[in-house]
Every structure is written in structure tokens, then in C-alpha cells.
Amino acid sequence: MAKDPVTPFRAPHKTKEARLARVRERFEQAHPLPAGNRRHPASGKAVIVAVAIGVLMIWLVTTLLG
């Protein structure tokens, strides 16, 4: 048998990880996150409005069925 090096059919794990890291880095450079755009929990006013709408819908349904 020949002693020529055999190239693997699949890329090694380190090669895949390095390629993914490069792609991720290029993506982050092309699409930087704005500094002030952090996800905040729902404001208290929005929660109150949602609860009020829910209560009004329940009241309307019970009024129409009653």
C-alpha cells in the first residue's frame, strides 16, 4: 500500500469550529448590536393595559351569555 496521506471525507471538528468562528465574527462585524437596544421586561403600564383588556373581554363574554 502507498504511504500517501489520505484526506478525510469529513472535515475535522477543529476545522469546522474555526470556520464557524470566522463566519460568526464576520457576521458580528457586519451587523453590530446598538449599545442602547437591550431587551427590557414589559413595563408596568403595558401589563396593566393587558390585564384591563382581559378583564373587559371576560366581562363582555359573561354579559352576552348571561
Side-chain angles (χ1 to χ4, degrees), residues 1-12:
M1 298 202 95
K3 293 185 178 181
D4 295 330
V6 178
T7 57
F9 187 68
R10 292 184 184 177

Side-chain angles (χ1 to χ4, degrees), residues 14-26:
K14 288 182 181 179
T15 305
K16 289 180 185 178
E17 290 294 325
R19 183 177 53 82
L20 285 173
R22 286 193 308 268
V23 169
R24 191 175 296 118
E25 182 180 344
R26 280 187 285 169

Side-chain angles (χ1 to χ4, degrees), residues 21-55:
R22 286 193 308 268
V23 169
R24 191 175 296 118
E25 182 180 344
R26 280 187 285 169
F27 181 83
E28 289 173 355
Q29 287 177 356
H31 306 283
L33 290 175
N37 190 11
R38 294 188 186 117
R39 290 187 170 224
H40 297 289
S43 67
K45 188 175 181 180
V47 172
I48 291 171
V49 169
V51 170
I53 291 172
V55 169

